[in-house]
Amino acid sequence: GELNELDHLWLLPRAIGKGYGNLVFERVLSECKTLKIADFYIVSDPDAEGFYLKKGAMKVGEVYSEPQKRMLPKLKYSMVVST
């Protein structure tokens, strides 16, 4: 049971909305393709959930964060296989 997870993808507040997140996420997808990773999980900050949903991730649950004392959305991203 190996679990693939995108962990700690953060942008500085002043960088949000300028396309850097899109560039980084495209790089993540490229690396997944190279490594033959078909899908991965993301435990997201609630403020970033919309970004990942727009990218095609699906919400699959929530995870409690002890340091933040709140629930965080758990998402799953599945790579699109072209035929």
Side-chain angles (χ1 to χ4, degrees), residues 18-82:
K18 297 184 178 178
Y20 299 120
N22 291 321
L23 291 171
V24 173
F25 197 74
E26 287 302 317
R27 179 61 188 251
V28 168
L29 298 181
S30 176
E31 292 295 322
C32 285
K33 184 176 179 180
T34 298
L35 297 169
K36 298 182 177 18
I37 294 173
D39 51 42
F40 57 90
Y41 291 91
I42 306 160
V43 176
S44 173
D45 182 278
D47 293 332
E49 180 180 10
F51 170 80
Y52 292 116
L53 293 174
K54 286 180 187 175
K55 292 295 176 189
M58 295 180 52
K59 188 169 185 176
V60 295
E62 293 183 317
V63 176
Y64 183 71
S65 168
E66 181 62 38
Q68 296 182 20
K69 305 284 191 235
R70 65 179 176 166
M71 299 300 289
L72 301 177
K74 182 175 182 178
L75 312 167
K76 182 176 182 181
Y77 187 91
S78 295
M79 300 290 287
V80 177
V81 179
S82 58

